[in-house]
Amino acid sequence: MKVDITSPNPALESIFSNPNQIITLDANFLIPPDRSKYAKRAFDFQIFKRIWIDPIFKAFPNLAIHEAVYGEFHSTAVKDYVDTNIYSVPPQLLVHKDSSLSSEEQMLRDSIEEKIYPLTKYDPTLDNRDDRGEVKSLAYIAVKGLLYFAAHDSNAIQLIEKAEEWETGLDNVNAIKMYELIFYLYKTNGSDKKDLRILYKYQYYLTKYEKEINPEWGQFIEAMEALYPVVNK
């Protein structure tokens, strides 16, 4: 995925100002990345939990997932972590359920899904797992007027950022990328900065192509600080 350091993301600016807003997560924000095709190994869950998941849950008190995303957690460790946060008192992770929608909202949700799914690998007639969580999540939050979808998947992000061009019905949804929240944790001292550097390099600066299109860590931080000067005050 390309790291965009050309213009600020209003969604990230808003999150810096008010981290208490609801942020709906895609599955890849909670599942450890596996790029062992390019690296020596996949990211261990306990390391990913320490560097990324625990700090995210600490930084943002109103995280959410759609019920369809829950089905993507196959690892026992991930599922146990998610369950713990869903069933804690009070809950630390909200679950969006389509059954909570009114009949009018359900109709609108269905119409948005009809616009989205042809641009993905999901087929409602088959109800296959490919991109199912993203499609269901985006349709739900668009209907409910929720503002933020945090994802590491480039297609999900494009569905939002090209909403007008592609006519996805997601015009009022805002995408938040993983590298933006890596920067958030860096600036708020939410996680160890050396560890965040490792995560950034693993996700965005691992292959030869990524090293050609993306900034290295120091350049990334410098560029992001220039884009978001308010967070330096």
Side-chain angles (χ1 to χ4, degrees), residues 5 215 218-228:
I5 53 173
Q219 294 172 333
F220 167 69
I221 293 299
E222 183 179 352
M224 293 291 281
E225 287 179 332
L227 287 178
Y228 303 94

Side-chain angles (χ1 to χ4, degrees), residues 30-46:
L30 298 173
I31 298 173
D34 183 354
R35 306 193 70 193
S36 52
K37 180 179 179 180
Y38 310 106
K40 292 181 179 180
R41 59 181 65 88
F43 235 91
D44 177 77
F45 174 75
Q46 291 302 325

Side-chain angles (χ1 to χ4, degrees), residues 63-220:
L63 296 176
I65 58 170
H66 188 274
E67 58 187 341
V69 165
Y70 183 84
E72 298 182 31
F73 302 134
H74 306 303
S75 161
T76 300
V78 175
K79 188 172 289 188
D80 286 348
Y81 185 94
V82 169
D83 284 343
T84 296
N85 283 279
I86 290 174
Y87 297 111
S88 66
V89 181
Q92 301 300 307
L93 182 64
L94 309 174
V95 179
H96 301 320
K97 296 183 178 181
D98 287 341
S99 60
S100 70
L101 298 173
S102 67
S103 57
E104 292 81 5
E105 289 174 330
Q106 187 68 246
M107 291 175 61
L108 180 56
R109 192 209 69 82
D110 290 346
S111 70
I112 293 175
E113 183 175 303
E114 284 289 325
K115 297 176 182 178
I116 297 174
Y117 89 80
L119 301 168
T120 72
K121 297 177 182 178
Y122 178 62
D123 184 345
T125 60
L126 301 176
D127 199 27
N128 55 303
R129 291 184 176 182
D130 293 341
D131 293 339
R132 184 176 187 270
E134 295 167 0
V135 171
K136 299 291 185 182
S137 297
L138 289 169
Y140 181 97
I141 64 179
V143 168
K144 283 296 189 180
L146 300 174
L147 298 177
Y148 307 115
F149 185 62
H152 183 61
D153 182 88
S154 57
N155 191 54
I157 292 169
Q158 282 190 308
L159 290 171
I160 297 169
E161 296 187 336
K162 295 185 177 182
E164 184 175 354
E165 178 185 348
W166 290 359
E167 298 180 341
T168 61
L170 302 174
D171 305 70
N172 296 320
V173 179
N174 299 272
I176 300 176
K177 296 93 165 175
M178 177 176 279
Y179 66 81
E180 292 173 334
L181 292 191
I182 288 176
F183 175 68
Y184 181 98
L185 294 177
Y186 176 90
K187 291 303 296 183
T188 59
N189 295 312
S191 185
D192 183 86
K193 294 182 177 180
K194 291 182 179 179
D195 288 341
L196 290 173
R197 176 177 174 268
I198 292 171
L199 178 60
Y200 173 86
K201 291 183 67 176
Y202 191 86
Q203 292 287 66
Y204 301 103
Y205 204 72
L206 192 58
T207 69
K208 180 180 178 181
Y209 176 68
E210 288 170 344
K211 291 177 180 179
E212 291 174 351
I213 65 169
N214 290 335
E216 55 85 24
W217 174 251
Q219 294 172 333
F220 167 69

